[in-house]
């Protein structure tokens, strides 16, 4: 036979081979019978425990005691499929402190206002006077508009607030051709029965000025305006917003507002007509080169949103006084 393939015929089985096979078949039966006799004698459980150590473990999770759940499963519950699923967080817990709360975010102006001058120049009643429905807002020297800025920061703040459990209402979400008018902006928050509101803006002050400031409502009781009930809570919200915004962004207080970045005004329809605690924030002066550089930076805008969300969270979760 040539080649490397082994094609030799199988060897004939001898009598000794047949006895060997028979022994291999009988011995396990005898051993099984002996184990049964040991179990009846009372030694079975102990010996079963001894043999378990020879079985490879199916998990690397160890137990300190027979009744202790491993740490990795302590916060899990079995699902219908038999696998562990994370335990759910109950509403209103630390992970969702704003559950059940409604927040109004008012992104100032609208990118379409410039194409609808007739509509936005219409006068509306703000209680103690009449003002334009809305304005075009300002922009940086490079053309980044206030309306773009306010909507972007509001979107970022909404994501943060919703992650904390809040329901967030917008006055406009880039879904309107222009406006809404300042009286409607106030009405949207009132109709939503929001717990608090922030109107987001960028200032258009002289280029020499820089920094941010917060605007709070003065007491106005004239015509359909009555801010009596919201002046005090709005002031508390304003203080929290000022401190949170500075902590989040590092932006200095406006150097052209002489009241430590706090301004109280009676000529803003969005405040005069509000029935819920509400403030404005001018996040910086878009006409100032330093402020404009920061406000056009997406990372800084995320910090601005963080400051706004943190202030609203503190306001809604911290008792007054």
């Amino acid at each position: 036979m040539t080649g490397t393939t082994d094609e030799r015929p199988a060897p004939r089985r001898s009598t000794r081979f047949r006895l060997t096979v028979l022994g291999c078949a009988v011995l396990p039966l005898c051993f099984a019978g002996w184990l049964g006799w040991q179990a009846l004698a009372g030694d079975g459980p102990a010996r079963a425990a001894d043999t378990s150590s020879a079985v490879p473990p199916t998990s690397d999770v160890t137990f300190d005691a027979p009744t202790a759940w491993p740490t990795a499963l302590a916060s899990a519950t079995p699902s219908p499929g038999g696998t562990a699923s994370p335990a759910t967080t109950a509403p209103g817990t630390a992970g969702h402190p704003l559950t059940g709360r409604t927040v109004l975010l008012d992104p100032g102006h609208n990118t379409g206002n410039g194409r609808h001058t007739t509509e936005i120049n219409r006068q509306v009643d703000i209680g103690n006077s009449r003002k334009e429905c809305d304005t075009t807002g300002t922009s940086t020297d490079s053309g980044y508009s206030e309306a773009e800025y306010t909507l972007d920061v509001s979107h970022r703040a909404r994501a943060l607030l919703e992650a904390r459990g809040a329901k967030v209402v917008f006055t406009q979400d880039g879904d309107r051709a222009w406006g809404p008018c300042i009286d409607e902006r106030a009405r949207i928050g009132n109709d939503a029965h929001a717990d608090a509101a922030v109107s987001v803006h960028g200032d258009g002050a002289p280029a020499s000025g820089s920094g941010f400031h917060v605007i709070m409502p003065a007491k106005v009781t004239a015509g359909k305006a009555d801010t009596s009930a919201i002046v005090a809570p709005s002031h508390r919200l304003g203080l929290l917003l000022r401190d949170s915004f500075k902590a989040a962004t590092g932006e200095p207080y406006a150097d052209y507002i002489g009241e430590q970045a706090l301004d109280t005004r009676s000529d803003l329809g969005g405040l005069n007509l509000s029935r819920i605690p509400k403030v404005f924030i001018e996040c910086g002066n878009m006409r100032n080169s330093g402020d404009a550089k920061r406000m056009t930076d997406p990372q800084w805008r995320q910090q601005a949103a963080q400051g706004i969300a943190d202030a609203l969270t503190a306001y809604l979760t911290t008792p007054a006084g």
Side-chain angles (χ1 to χ4, degrees), residues 128-252:
N128 56 0
S129 66
R130 298 184 68 84
K131 289 190 72 172
E132 293 83 1
C133 156
D134 203 359
T135 66
T136 58
T138 188
S139 67
T140 66
D141 288 343
S142 63
Y144 183 58
S145 72
E146 180 182 2
E148 291 176 272
Y149 170 83
T150 63
L151 193 57
D152 180 85
V153 170
S154 296
H155 281 158
R156 295 169 185 270
R158 176 172 64 186
L160 293 168
L161 291 164
E162 287 181 339
R164 299 173 188 180
K167 174 185 177 182
V168 181
V169 178
F170 270 32
T171 55
Q172 60 93 13
D173 196 4
D175 52 352
R176 300 179 61 138
W178 54 274
C181 294
I182 54 178
D183 57 343
E184 185 182 355
R185 289 174 185 265
R187 186 165 61 251
I188 291 170
N190 297 340
D191 291 346
H193 303 289
D195 297 293
V198 172
S199 188
V200 182
H201 288 265
D203 211 359
S208 58
S210 65
F212 82 96
H213 66 281
V214 175
I215 304 172
M216 304 172 296
K219 183 176 180 179
V220 176
T221 54
K224 61 181 182 178
D226 185 356
T227 62
S228 302
I230 70 164
V231 167
S234 295
H235 183 76
R236 185 168 78 89
L237 174 58
L239 286 171
L240 290 168
L241 181 55
R242 180 195 65 177
D243 295 346
S244 293
F245 193 84
K246 182 173 177 59
T249 65
E251 180 78 358

Side-chain angles (χ1 to χ4, degrees), residues 8 11 17 69 72 78 108 185 194 205 215 250 266 287 296 302 308:
R8 289 173 296 178
F17 175 80
W69 286 99
R185 289 174 185 265
I215 304 172
S266 62
R287 307 304 301 166
T296 53
Q302 184 64 34
I308 293 169

Side-chain angles (χ1 to χ4, degrees), residues 260-277:
Q260 293 291 296
L262 297 174
D263 192 15
T264 301
R265 291 175 59 173
S266 62
D267 63 329
L268 298 176
L271 296 180
N272 285 6
L273 302 176
S274 181
R275 297 287 188 269
I276 61 174

